[in-house]
Amino acid sequence: MLLALMTDGVLVYSQWYKSAESTTETLASDVNEDISLQLTAFLHAPVHINETNSHFIEHNLIDLSDQIAREKFFSGIIKNHEGAVYSVGFGTINGEYYGARRNTNNDIEIMRNDASTDGNSMYYSITEDMTAADLAVKAGPFDPRTREWYQAAAAFSKPIFSPVYKHFVMDDLTVSAAWPIYDDTNTLRGVLGTHILLSEITAYLEAAAEKSNGFAVIFEQETEELIATSMDFDVFTPQADNTFKRQNLNDLGDSDITDAYNYYLTNNESQFRLKGAKSNLYINVSEVSIDGIEWILVSAVPASQFMDDIVSSMLWSVSVSVIILIGLVLIYYYLVRKLAKPINQLLYASSAFTAGNLSQRVTFLSKNEIGMISSSFNHMASKMQALIDNLEDNVQVRTEELNEKKEELQLILNSTAEGVYGMNLDGVCTFCNISCLKQLGYDHHDELIGKNMHQLIHHTQRDGSPFTLDKCKISKAISLGQGFQSDDEIFWKADGTPIDVEYRAYPQIKNGTVVGGVVTFMDITDRKQRDAEIEFLNCHDPLTGLYNRRCYENKKTAVDTYENLPLSIIFADINGLKMTNDIFGHAAGDSLIKKAAEILEKSCRNEDVIARIGGDEFIILLPQTNAENADHIVSRIRSEFKSARLDAIKCSAAIGYDTKNDIAQSLDEVMANAENSMYKDKTLNRKSTNKDLINTILDSIHLRSQREEQHADSVAKLCVDLGKALSMPESELEKLERAGLLHDIGKVSLDKSLLLSETAYSEDMAGVHQHALVGYRLLSLFDDTIDIAEYVYNHHEHWDGNGYPRGIKGEQIPLISRIIAVTEVYDRILNKGTEDILIRKRNAVEIIRQGSGTHFDPRIVDAFVQMMQD
């Protein structure tokens, strides 16, 4: 026993050590990989900043000519992205540069470099509202177009990281994430740059390596020049001519790092164990590859960091185990000697008892386990002797007990949720429980017991065809003495209705012979229905009921066969969904999507596969459909869309199609052709589509309020007359007329009751106040109206700054907006009340005159009053 325990101990502890070593290697690998992942996240931070904020500049959501808005924009970026980001700025093609940075005290400063600074870089401290305050630093002449980050983005025409360069102010190396910004004609407007200091990477590596007592180093893959290291080593040295000298991997003088990198290059292993100069090391080598960046990260964790405590614990455990083992051996020896004598006596008594001497008893009785066994033996012997002496009485008692057990068994069967019934080899029911009766719709056991269960509940299949006994899997399983279960069959209830069941059939075997069987079952009709609903939702879009993208991919593979050629694909994209969501809310957008789905289903055949693969994108697979028939279907879809409308929304879609005639042709290529055809359709009809959308919105407003139509026409005419009185050029008069006609287009979002209300134009009504913003957002979506969106947005601003929605004043308000403000108020007042038209005109002109200098531009008021007098 001692030898067995020692052998087992050696095996256990050796496996323990191997397991600990494996666990240690995994932990070290996790530490190394964590450094690699954190570095990748560190480098993606400036890319994320550029990706997020380039949208605002590219789509003119931030007006860079607006100094206040510009300064809040850039200082807000820096404030919201603390950490490694040193500065963010936008350099224009004209050499201007605007942005913000953190200085050496971690304070935010606004950077400005344009004609107002004579081409010098000026840094300003910021106020509480994130705008420029006092001049903090004058850094001298600066042209962003000469910087590496600007030139890299402009040269490659895509987001990219710049080469490493010496910062022109800070005594540090810098790398910049650059993002080119283009206008609508794809002409470069400038480059957005987010700059990080390499010292920040060094600080991160030092902190990460300190936790594991290891080291980490980053260097460029091509040149092996250092980027950052956790060791106390400068990655560059300044030179006397104000340049700098980069240090490379060999300059570190650390053989562990060079050996690790050479091993990686030779064996192409990114994670391995290396015998270092001082200790074994767990090495992780990873390549950091982002546009413009090809870096190598080498990190190492010493094995002793994890293994020393484990080895110490194992040695202590082994020592304690040896001491315990010796003690157990001594105790075992003592107990064997003490227990052997009473055990021998017990064995003698039991041998005599089995030989027929029922009077034999054990005489050695103690309070330990052997004594308890001896006492139990004597009790058993006495009871058996008494049973033999009273056999008839005992038989009667046992019979009564068996009857009680039978009743208890029936009670247990009736307490189960599953239906249970038994049957003999002829299929006749021999017993059943209450749950069986309830699930099958019967009231009493007699309705089942004695009846053939197959003929009663299992006689017909789901489709109504007879289910013969020779095909019944229950009968086959029981007759063969094998268990069987199923969840795809039905039982028939007493009222003649079927239920889905999950059942298990078990044979009853007595003395090796099958004598019958037991069937347990559950009604799973509700579960089947839920499963069907879940399967439907997994494969269908919950909004439209069409196939979703995942199911479409499966259907696409199944349909792409020779038998289905020619196979056509239609690609459709709903027009105006973004506008609908932005202006009317996502509920209206959902209605538009559902309407489009209804049109597609109505226009296609049952065997066609229709799927919603994106927010506003649909795709249709048309098996056995040539290009001519596909064109007919597209025409049918266009016709349905042409007559479809949801309130203020004109339903329309861009549609393209293509046909696969050769089985060797890629279906993905055909789908790409259909998608390109759709985009071509969208581009060619973009103007007419946008015009239809705007006209539909105007029609919706005018149908609800004829007065609004009259008001729009009157304001447009008055605006042109007033513009001529102000000697505006013809091009501005055209804008003025369109802006006057569409100035209240945002009222499409108002309820009809509010639109018709006499008080709907009160200055203090929040619902009406929103129409200027809604109109701005709506007109900004279309190429033909984006130039007048700003005028519509500001036509309720007041000369004294008390208007809405922004509260700007004076010359900050665009001229066209100031003209609309005068003419639209005049027309509203002119058409209120029941007085004579001449009286209303005088009253309206007087109110305009009274608003001069507060509500309205005095110069425009004077011109308007003069015009009305003429």
Side-chain angles (χ1 to χ4, degrees):
M1 183 183 297
L2 179 61
L3 180 62
L5 289 174
M6 291 178 65
T7 301
D8 185 62
V10 170
L11 291 174
V12 168
Y13 282 109
S14 64
Q15 291 300 318
W16 184 14
Y17 185 84
K18 290 180 180 179
S19 176
E21 190 175 45
S22 176
T23 301
T24 300
E25 185 173 354
T26 300
L27 291 173
S29 176
D30 290 344
V31 171
N32 288 332
E33 289 184 5
D34 181 63
I35 295 175
S36 177
L37 292 175
Q38 291 295 334
L39 175 62
T40 302
F42 182 90
L43 290 174
H44 274 89
V47 177
H48 171 72
I49 291 172
N50 284 352
E51 182 179 12
T52 301
N53 294 285
S54 63
H55 173 79
F56 292 94
I57 300 175
E58 187 168 9
H59 295 281
N60 296 315
L61 299 178
I62 173 68
D63 185 359
L64 293 181
S65 64
D66 186 337
Q67 179 176 318
I68 294 176
R70 182 184 70 227
E71 292 174 349
K72 288 184 177 181
F73 175 69
F74 285 110
S75 59
I77 295 174
I78 292 295
K79 182 178 180 181
N80 291 327
H81 294 85
E82 296 184 358
V85 175
Y86 162 70
S87 67
V88 176
F90 179 68
T92 71
I93 58 171
N94 299 321
E96 300 157 336
Y97 186 67
Y98 304 107
R101 73 171 186 179
R102 292 187 183 278
N103 60 23
T104 55
N105 297 323
N106 205 34
D107 294 328
I108 298 175
E109 292 179 348
I110 297 294
M111 194 278 181
R112 189 186 308 155
N113 184 348
D114 55 16
S116 67
T117 66
D118 293 328
N120 292 305
S121 293
M122 301 293 193
Y123 294 90
Y124 301 85
S125 60
I126 62 171
T127 62
E128 292 184 358
D129 65 351
M130 308 298 289
T131 58
D134 300 328
L135 178 63
V137 177
K138 181 177 180 181
F142 175 73
D143 188 340
R145 295 170 297 182
T146 65
R147 308 308 295 172
E148 289 86 343
W149 55 271
Y150 186 101
Q151 294 172 350
F156 288 95
S157 301
K158 67 176 183 178
I160 193 171
F161 271 92
S162 71
V164 175
Y165 62 92
K166 171 68 169 62
H167 195 276
F168 78 102
V169 175
M170 305 290 289
D171 188 17
D172 204 343
L173 294 185
T174 308
V175 66
S176 302
W179 194 289
I181 305 295
Y182 296 91
D183 60 17
D184 293 338
T185 63
N186 205 28
T187 300
L188 183 69
R189 292 176 54 191
V191 176
L192 178 65
T194 301
H195 317 291
I196 56 177
L197 302 178
L198 294 193
S199 60
E200 294 291 345
I201 303 179
T202 298
Y204 165 73
L205 290 185
E206 290 175 349
E210 183 179 2
K211 295 179 181 178
S212 60
N213 200 26
F215 62 82
V217 62
I218 304 171
F219 53 89
E220 293 182 344
Q221 185 173 7
E222 182 177 355
T223 65
E224 295 187 2
E225 291 181 335
L226 296 177
I227 300 297
T229 174
S230 63
M231 296 168 282
D232 187 12
F233 187 84
D234 293 330
V235 298
F236 73 98
T237 55
Q239 303 296 303
D241 58 355
N242 201 28
T243 61
F244 66 95
K245 178 180 180 298
R246 296 278 299 278
Q247 305 294 334
N248 62 29
L249 191 63
N250 291 326
D251 293 332
L252 277 174
D254 192 313
S255 61
D256 288 347
I257 296 177
T258 54
D259 289 347
Y261 183 52
N262 290 333
Y263 183 90
Y264 165 74
L265 294 176
T266 302
N267 299 280
N268 198 27
E269 293 183 21
S270 60
Q271 294 183 358
F272 50 89
R273 187 171 178 176
L274 179 72
K275 183 174 180 59
K278 296 181 180 179
S279 65
N280 289 336
L281 301 170
Y282 291 104
I283 303 295
N284 182 76
V285 181
S286 59
E287 298 182 2
V288 182
S289 181
I290 309 174
D291 285 336
I293 282 183
E294 296 293 337
W295 293 354
I296 298 293
L297 166 65
V298 179
S299 56
V301 177
S304 60
Q305 178 74 7
F306 301 98
M307 286 295 293
D308 287 351
D309 291 340
I310 294 176
V311 172
S312 176
S313 298
M314 290 176 63
L315 292 175
W316 182 86
S317 178
V318 169
S319 301
V320 172
S321 298
V322 170
I323 294 173
I324 293 174
L325 183 61
I326 294 172
L328 289 175
V329 169
L330 295 176
I331 293 172
Y332 174 76
Y333 179 74
Y334 170 76
L335 290 177
V336 168
R337 286 179 58 84
K338 184 176 181 180
L339 295 177
K341 183 175 180 180
I343 290 176
N344 287 335
Q345 191 178 97
L346 179 60
L347 290 173
Y348 173 78
S350 62
S351 298
F353 186 82
T354 55
N357 184 5
L358 300 182
S359 62
Q360 182 66 46
R361 302 288 185 272
V362 179
T363 59
F364 180 83
L365 298 176
S366 62
K367 294 183 179 180
N368 58 19
E369 287 79 359
I370 301 301
M372 294 172 64
I373 295 173
S374 300
S375 177
S376 298
F377 174 82
N378 290 342
H379 179 71
M380 178 192 67
S382 299
K383 191 169 183 179
M384 290 187 66
Q385 189 172 13
L387 287 172
I388 293 173
D389 294 339
N390 301 283
L391 184 58
E392 291 184 2
D393 293 338
N394 289 333
V395 170
Q396 183 178 356
V397 170
R398 291 300 184 190
T399 301
E400 293 175 354
E401 291 177 351
L402 287 174
N403 289 332
E404 292 177 357
K405 295 294 185 183
K406 183 177 180 180
E407 293 176 358
E408 290 178 2
L409 179 60
Q410 186 63 45
L411 180 62
I412 292 173
L413 286 175
N414 290 335
S415 301
T416 60
E418 289 186 319
V420 182
Y421 69 86
M423 60 183 185
N424 59 25
L425 291 178
D426 295 326
V428 175
C429 180
T430 56
F431 70 88
C432 63
N433 67 349
I434 296 295
S435 182
C436 174
L437 296 175
K438 288 182 178 180
Q439 292 187 62
L440 295 176
Y442 292 95
D443 298 322
H444 197 270
H445 295 77
D446 294 341
E447 296 179 83
L448 294 181
I449 295 176
K451 307 292 177 60
N452 186 287
M453 294 301 289
H454 179 80
Q455 297 176 2
L456 194 64
I457 69 171
H458 208 200
H459 49 77
T460 306
Q461 300 191 72
R462 194 185 303 273
D463 60 2
S465 61
F467 193 18
T468 57
L469 184 63
D470 60 323
K471 296 180 180 179
C472 178
K473 297 177 182 177
I474 296 176
S475 299
K476 284 185 178 180
I478 292 174
S479 62
L480 295 174
Q482 300 174 348
F484 178 77
Q485 68 179 53
S486 174
D487 63 354
D488 60 353
E489 296 186 16
I490 59 172
F491 285 173
W492 293 88
K493 297 176 63 175
D495 60 3
T497 59
I499 58 172
D500 289 290
V501 293
E502 178 181 6
Y503 70 78
R504 292 174 174 79
Y506 306 95
Q508 287 181 312
I509 300 175
K510 183 177 182 180
N511 298 327
T513 302
V514 178
V515 296
V518 176
V519 177
T520 63
F521 68 92
M522 283 292 293
D523 182 354
I524 59 170
T525 303
D526 292 340
R527 191 184 81 187
K528 284 280 189 179
Q529 183 176 355
R530 289 194 301 271
D531 291 345
E533 292 172 354
I534 292 172
E535 183 178 358
F536 180 84
L537 292 175
N538 283 336
C539 198
H540 292 77
D541 173 42
L543 179 62
T544 64
L546 301 178
Y547 290 121
N548 57 25
R549 176 179 284 277
R550 182 175 66 84
C551 196
Y552 160 75
E553 294 295 336
N554 296 332
K555 293 286 184 181
K556 180 180 72 173
T557 303
V559 171
D560 189 14
T561 63
Y562 180 82
E563 292 76 13
N564 287 326
L565 293 180
L567 175 61
S568 293
I569 296 180
I570 296 176
F571 207 106
D573 185 276
I574 302 174
N575 292 321
L577 179 61
K578 183 179 185 302
M579 179 205 73
T580 303
N581 287 331
D582 291 347
I583 305 303
F584 303 103
H586 286 276
D590 290 346
S591 297
L592 181 60
I593 292 171
K594 288 192 283 188
K595 184 64 177 179
E598 292 173 5
I599 292 173
L600 296 179
E601 285 189 294
K602 180 180 178 182
S603 305
C604 295
R605 305 165 298 183
N606 292 334
E607 63 268 25
D608 297 334
V609 177
I610 310 174
R612 181 188 176 202
I613 62 171
D616 54 1
E617 293 179 340
F618 297 84
I619 196 164
I620 306 173
L621 297 177
L622 304 169
Q624 299 179 4
T625 305
N626 58 27
E628 182 180 358
N629 290 333
D631 187 68
H632 290 326
I633 295 174
V634 169
S635 298
R636 190 159 60 240
I637 294 172
R638 293 187 194 278
S639 177
E640 291 291 336
F641 268 109
K642 187 174 295 184
S643 60
R645 177 173 171 174
L646 292 173
D647 194 15
I649 308 168
K650 175 68 170 63
C651 299
S652 67
I655 304 174
Y657 71 92
D658 194 27
T659 301
K660 174 177 179 176
N661 295 299
D662 186 352
I663 192 63
Q665 186 178 10
S666 169
L667 190 61
D668 289 334
E669 178 185 348
V670 177
M671 185 174 73
N673 292 339
E675 185 176 10
N676 291 335
S677 176
M678 180 274 293
Y679 283 121
K680 181 179 179 181
D681 179 50
K682 182 181 284 288
T683 302
L684 291 176
N685 297 296
R686 182 175 182 180
K687 285 193 174 182
S688 62
T689 300
N690 293 345
K691 184 177 180 181
D692 286 345
L693 289 172
I694 291 178
N695 289 339
T696 303
I697 293 171
L698 288 176
D699 289 344
S700 173
I701 299 173
H702 299 160
L703 284 172
R704 290 185 292 165
S705 172
Q706 187 177 3
R707 171 67 196 118
E708 286 297 324
E709 182 176 11
Q710 297 168 353
H711 174 69
D713 292 337
S714 298
V715 170
K717 184 178 182 305
L718 287 170
C719 282
V720 172
D721 292 342
L722 184 53
K724 290 178 179 179
L726 292 170
S727 301
M728 293 178 66
E730 192 66 31
S731 60
E732 291 299 299
L733 289 176
E734 189 271 336
K735 287 184 185 178
L736 181 58
E737 182 177 17
R738 288 189 290 121
L741 185 65
L742 300 175
H743 75 282
D744 277 342
I745 195 171
K747 289 184 178 178
V748 70
S749 63
L750 301 180
D751 292 335
K752 182 176 181 180
S753 59
L754 189 59
L755 197 62
L756 296 174
S757 172
E758 288 295 325
T759 61
Y761 312 109
S762 173
E763 294 290 326
D764 60 350
M765 297 189 67
V768 177
H769 286 189
Q770 288 296 317
H771 83 276
L773 176 59
V774 173
Y776 170 77
R777 291 167 60 187
L778 204 158
L779 296 176
S780 296
L781 297 173
F782 305 108
D783 295 339
D784 292 342
T785 57
I786 192 172
D787 59 332
I788 62 172
E790 184 72 16
Y791 308 138
V792 171
Y793 186 42
N794 294 289
H795 79 276
H796 279 293
E797 299 288 356
H798 293 170
W799 185 257
D800 60 2
N802 290 322
Y804 65 87
R806 294 193 295 168
I808 59 178
K809 63 181 179 179
E811 296 291 338
Q812 293 177 327
I813 307 171
L815 175 61
I816 291 179
S817 299
R818 285 178 267 155
I819 293 174
I820 296 174
V822 171
T823 57
E824 84 108 17
V825 170
Y826 172 81
D827 185 69
R828 292 290 185 197
I829 298 171
L830 182 64
N831 288 279
K832 288 180 66 174
T834 58
E835 298 87 353
D836 181 74
I837 184 64
L838 294 177
I839 296 175
R840 281 181 281 152
K841 282 185 177 181
R842 285 198 299 271
N843 291 340
V845 171
E846 182 58 28
I847 290 175
I848 296 298
R849 194 197 308 274
Q850 292 174 4
S852 178
T854 56
H855 278 54
F856 311 118
D857 181 350
R859 182 172 70 92
I860 294 176
V861 170
D862 292 342
F864 180 79
V865 172
Q866 183 63 44
M867 180 184 75
M868 298 308 296
Q869 290 175 350
D870 293 341

